[in-house]
């Protein structure tokens, strides 16, 4: 349902596109089942949606909130989005880079609010040009394998989800861990024993001590897991470097990563084998592309992930994921448990892969009936 909405006059221009006003929404929709990870439980989709209105087009953007990841609640994001848009109003911007640079200088951090605006800017820009977002970022419309996630739940429910994913044709499974190490080990072994050719990895969401991370790492070596995502706290780069010396399974960083500078810091600290980039942590499409490019320059492979977000946000992330050769994995299943989809189309899922649908911008349709 719509928690809040506000119309903001803009009277600004982007490379000749006259953007008259923005409509901003704070939106909540229940999930079909709880999303449980090591340090929080989520029962609803929470996002700020930005609409940029010109005479001919509407550009859509979404910033899905997760306070433990970006420090923003839906209400703080709404207010910060209003603040940024008001500061952007009344000016002419030569390019998306010009606008995003200005936006980044208006308010420190608050990357979820910036993502909603950045995404809407890209969407209306592509619609004006008559192109799909993948073309703007240099990507391609092609099937991209995605992981589907098993959150923290009972062994029975975990096994049930494995069987459901197998029926759907899922090829890559993410297993959430990070609570009790003994239960987690039992869960990982059970899942690995019931795979039928699928690959898997685990994500501890910062939940482990280094001793428990070593224990899990040894199990992951035995069960041929692809990698171990964010086993330790986001600030513990030195400990992550030491952990890499103790286990052979590759370490992927997620919560430790946001801006391009954070990618450089993690790599120079030798804390990561792989990097997970999410638009809401980077501050949108533009900055996510830069973060991925930095990783590529250092020879580091990446994954593009998402939060619990709609087909709008996932479509944007899918386009970015298709744009660089060092993106080896995608974790883009954030829309599947939203009870009523706020946006439809965008992409299809078949045989374990997401494929962008043809159209302009993100190629999504707003489903206003599902916002109530």
């Amino acid at each position: 349902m719509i928690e809040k909405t506000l119309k903001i006059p803009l009277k600004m221009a982007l490379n000749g596109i006259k953007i008259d006003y923005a409509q901003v929404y704070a939106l909540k929709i229940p999930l079909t089942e709880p999303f449980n990870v090591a340090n929080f439980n989520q029962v609803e989709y929470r996002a700020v949606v930005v609409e940029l209105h010109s005479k001919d087009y509407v550009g859509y953007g979404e910033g899905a909130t997760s306070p433990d990841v970006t420090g923003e609640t839906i209400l703080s994001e709404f207010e910060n989005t209003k603040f940024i848009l008001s500061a952007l109003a009344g000016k002419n911007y030569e390019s998306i880079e010009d606008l995003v640079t200005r936006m980044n200088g208006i308010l420190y951090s608050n990357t979820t609010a910036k993502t909603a605006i950045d995404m809407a800017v890209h969407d209306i820009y592509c619609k004006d040009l008559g192109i799909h977002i993948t073309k703007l970022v240099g990507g391609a419309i092609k099937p991209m394998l995605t992981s589907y996630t098993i959150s923290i739940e009972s062994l029975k429910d975990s096994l049930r989800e494995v069987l459901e994913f197998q029926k759907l044709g899922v090829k890559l499974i993410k297993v959430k861990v990070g609570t009790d190490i003994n239960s987690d080990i039992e869960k990982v072994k059970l899942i690995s024993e019931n795979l039928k050719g699928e690959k898997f990895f685990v994500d501890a969401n910062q939940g482990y001590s280094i001793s428990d991370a070593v224990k899990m790492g040894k199990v992951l070596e035995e069960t041929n897991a692809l990698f171990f995502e964010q086993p330790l706290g986001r600030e513990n780069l030195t400990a992550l470097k030491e952990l890499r010396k103790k286990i052979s399974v590759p370490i992927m960083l997620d919560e430790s990563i946001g801006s391009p500078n954070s990618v450089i810091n993690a790599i120079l600290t030798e804390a990561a084998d792989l990097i997970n980039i999410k638009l809401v942590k980077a501050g949108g499409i533009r900055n996510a592309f830069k973060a991925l490019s930095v990783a590529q320059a250092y020879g580091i492979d990446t994954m593009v992930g998402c939060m619990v977000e709609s087909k709008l946000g996932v479509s944007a992330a899918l386009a970015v994921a298709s744009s660089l050769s060092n993106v080896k994995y995608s974790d883009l299943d954030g829309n599947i448990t939203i009870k009523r989809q706020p946006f439809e189309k965008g992409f299809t899922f078949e045989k374990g892969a997401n494929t962008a649908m043809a159209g302009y911008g993100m190629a999504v349709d707003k489903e206003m009936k599902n916002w109530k």
Side-chain angles (χ1 to χ4, degrees), residues 89-295:
K91 298 178 177 64
N92 295 327
Y93 300 95
E94 295 180 350
S95 63
I96 293 178
E97 178 69 14
D98 185 23
L99 190 151
V100 170
T101 299
R102 167 64 179 151
M103 177 173 68
N104 288 336
I106 291 169
L107 188 65
Y108 175 73
S109 190
N110 292 282
T111 53
T112 312
K114 291 175 181 177
T115 296
I117 298 168
D118 169 278
M119 198 181 297
V121 166
H122 279 80
D123 194 39
I124 199 168
Y125 193 83
C126 288
K127 286 173 177 174
D128 184 74
L129 291 175
I131 61 173
H132 194 277
I133 180 63
T134 55
K135 184 171 287 189
L136 184 68
V137 298
I141 294 179
K142 60 182 180 181
M144 175 166 283
L145 287 179
T146 183
S147 61
Y148 267 35
T149 303
I150 297 174
S151 69
I152 292 177
E153 54 197 19
S154 68
L155 292 177
K156 180 180 178 181
D157 286 339
S158 297
L159 187 56
R160 172 185 55 79
E161 290 217 77
V162 169
L163 297 175
E164 289 177 359
F165 290 171
Q166 288 170 338
K167 290 177 183 177
L168 289 172
V170 172
K171 302 292 192 298
L172 180 60
I173 295 174
K174 170 189 270 195
V175 182
K176 292 288 189 180
V177 296
T179 51
D180 176 73
I181 184 62
N182 294 320
S183 298
D184 288 347
I185 288 173
E186 186 179 7
K187 176 180 178 178
V188 168
K189 287 183 175 179
L190 177 67
I191 289 172
S192 66
E193 290 166 359
N194 282 275
L195 297 180
K196 299 177 180 178
E198 300 86 5
K199 303 294 185 182
F200 84 101
F201 63 98
V202 304
D203 181 5
N205 289 108
Q206 312 179 75
Y208 286 143
S209 64
I210 192 165
S211 60
D212 283 348
V214 170
K215 291 177 185 177
M216 177 56 74
K218 299 301 181 183
V219 173
L220 299 181
E221 292 169 1
E222 296 169 4
T223 53
N224 296 314
L226 290 174
F227 50 85
F228 191 179
E229 187 176 354
Q230 200 68 49
L232 307 178
R234 74 185 75 197
E235 304 293 339
N236 295 344
L237 296 184
T238 301
L240 284 158
K241 176 182 178 179
E242 293 305 309
L243 178 62
R244 289 182 64 221
K245 297 176 182 178
K246 297 176 184 293
I247 60 177
S248 62
V249 64
I251 301 296
M252 174 180 281
L253 296 190
D254 177 2
E255 284 90 342
S256 298
I257 303 300
S259 68
N261 284 339
S262 70
V263 176
I264 296 172
N265 190 30
I267 293 170
L268 294 183
T269 310
E270 300 179 7
D273 299 286
L274 302 160
I275 297 291
N276 183 2
I277 301 294
K278 294 176 180 173
L279 270 60
V280 296
K281 294 187 300 159
I285 293 170
R286 197 79 177 168
N287 285 335
F289 186 88
K290 291 176 182 178
L292 290 168
S293 298
V294 167

Side-chain angles (χ1 to χ4, degrees), residues 12 27 36-37 98 125 171 173 186 188 191 300 304 312 320 366:
M12 70 182 194
L27 187 61
N36 304 318
V37 302
D98 185 23
Y125 193 83
K171 302 292 192 298
I173 295 174
E186 186 179 7
V188 168
I191 289 172
I300 298 294
V304 172
L312 172 59
V320 173
K366 179 181 176 182

Side-chain angles (χ1 to χ4, degrees), residues 328-342:
K328 303 300 184 184
Y329 307 99
S330 74
D331 177 31
L332 299 176
D333 63 340
N335 64 293
I336 64 173
T337 59
I338 302 174
K339 192 170 185 179
R340 301 183 306 277
Q341 295 294 327

Side-chain angles (χ1 to χ4, degrees), residues 44-111:
E44 60 189 1
Y45 157 83
R46 304 180 297 258
V48 167
V49 174
V50 171
E51 296 177 354
L52 297 179
H53 290 255
S54 71
K55 178 182 177 182
D56 300 309
Y57 305 106
V58 179
Y60 297 113
E62 171 188 47
T65 60
S66 184
D68 66 298
V69 176
T70 66
E72 296 161 275
T73 67
I74 190 170
L75 294 180
S76 70
E77 185 192 351
F78 185 90
E79 292 301 318
N80 289 330
T81 301
K82 179 176 70 173
F83 179 81
I84 295 169
L85 285 169
S86 297
L88 290 172
K91 298 178 177 64
N92 295 327
Y93 300 95
E94 295 180 350
S95 63
I96 293 178
E97 178 69 14
D98 185 23
L99 190 151
V100 170
T101 299
R102 167 64 179 151
M103 177 173 68
N104 288 336
I106 291 169
L107 188 65
Y108 175 73
S109 190
N110 292 282
T111 53

